[in-house]
Amino acid sequence: MSVKLQQAVTQGSLPNTNFFNGRLVTGADLTREQTARRESVSRLGETIGEGIAEGLRVKIVSPAETNPLVAVSPGRALNRCGQALGLYEETIVDLAERIGSVERESIGFSRCPAAAATGTYAAGFGLYLLVLSPVMTKQGSAPVGGLKNSFAACGSDVILEAVQFRLLPVDPFLANDSLPGSDHLRNYLAYRCFGVDRTQRLFEDPYGFALENYGLLDEMRGKTLSDNDVPLALVSWTANGLEFVEMWAVRRRVAKRSDAAGWTQLIGDRRASETEAMIEQFADHIAGEAPDENDFREVRAVDHFFFLPPIGILPLAAGGKNGFDLDSFFGEKMLADVALLDGDSLRPLLREAATHEPISLRTDEKIRIYLVRENFLAAQAGQVKQIAAVFAKRNLPYYGTARFDLADWDSSRFA
């Protein structure tokens, strides 16, 4: 297409009905107006990005193997098509039963096609992806009449832009993977979704490798996972019931789309949101084991994790039995000097860490340990029971603060 300066380019423009006195308005005119409004909102949504804005947290209500139930909290999200999806009260989802014989998504409110259906739905043991999808439903009835006063049947009164939950099988996309045992499975799945098996290649060959699609979710896109869907959680369903519900492997904050092409991993908002999810995933994984109530002093990181986020917080069993032990958890991977960190430095350290790739426990990479000064002093004074250790990648800038009354000359850094 070729145009001249100041010539209107109408390709892709939205047709809005031109209302004026005396015009005969039909249902088609009003439908066109509604369609233009929805399309305009979707284009705005696509510009903002995709992901979960708030809420939509998933937790196990009943892990029973024959009737597993999860609860999803109220919240809002944007899908890849720019549609805003909302859940306005806590909802219990029965994973074993489904309404109807065929899953259908709403394509009436979006130009994004639904994913192709693959096989018959049959919930059972396996790994699944729980997603939130748009759906169109009608309520009520309204009397109508023909233009020539002829009688017409009643039509639907309102059309609701609603949401539905779908459960998508993940196992077919892991057929070529050598899955680890149950101790490592949750961590393995999370970092399969984060795409760490491919992101390292960009550093090895910056000019020969462009990373635009990576991770388990991208492999599912266009097959079972639609652009209409918002991923909420991975679900592991075994003969023992629900083993775990892993949100942060697939849950992402709203992230703007990147136009950086091969630079996506380096400057795109997507990778930053994924690294933040890594930090949240570790915290959620640890919290689910209730370290404030259990003795984990003998637990080793390598027995449960292949990867750790570039930064994380570990509750220690200092002065009691509940929590982790630094020497046991990190072993030889921990640097010998444990530094003190001012609380004010924790936020910039977290922001810096969000630009780094995760820590691999299958390499000889060392891990730096900090104690938060305020927390350490409060524990010494008996004001708090738990000491929090901050672990971070060694190649992150050093944020420790040396003080003569709280640091040793032979194991601390001085500015």
Side-chain angles (χ1 to χ4, degrees), residues 65 144 373 409:
E65 67 275 10
V144 298
R373 182 177 65 88
W409 284 93

Side-chain angles (χ1 to χ4, degrees), residues 244-262:
F244 60 79
V245 169
E246 171 54 63
M247 288 190 301
W248 290 101
V250 299
R251 177 189 176 92
R252 305 287 182 267
R253 63 162 171 80
V254 176
K256 63 182 180 181
R257 295 195 176 187
S258 174
D259 194 31

Side-chain angles (χ1 to χ4, degrees), residues 9 15 90 116 132 135 146 165 171 199 224-225 254 269 289 317 406:
V9 180
E90 183 173 86
L132 187 70
V135 65
F165 296 97
D171 290 313
T199 53
T224 57
L225 180 63
V254 176
D269 195 27
E289 302 298 329
L406 295 173

Side-chain angles (χ1 to χ4, degrees), residues 23 253 299:
R23 173 170 179 156
R253 63 162 171 80
V299 171

Side-chain angles (χ1 to χ4, degrees), residues 3 127 152 162 171 180 223 242 334:
V3 298
L127 292 167
D171 290 313
K223 300 178 179 69
L242 295 184
M334 181 178 70

Side-chain angles (χ1 to χ4, degrees), residues 10-26:
T10 60
Q11 184 68 26
S13 299
L14 299 180
N16 290 275
T17 302
N18 181 30
F19 295 105
F20 53 88
N21 291 334
R23 173 170 179 156
L24 180 62
V25 178
T26 66

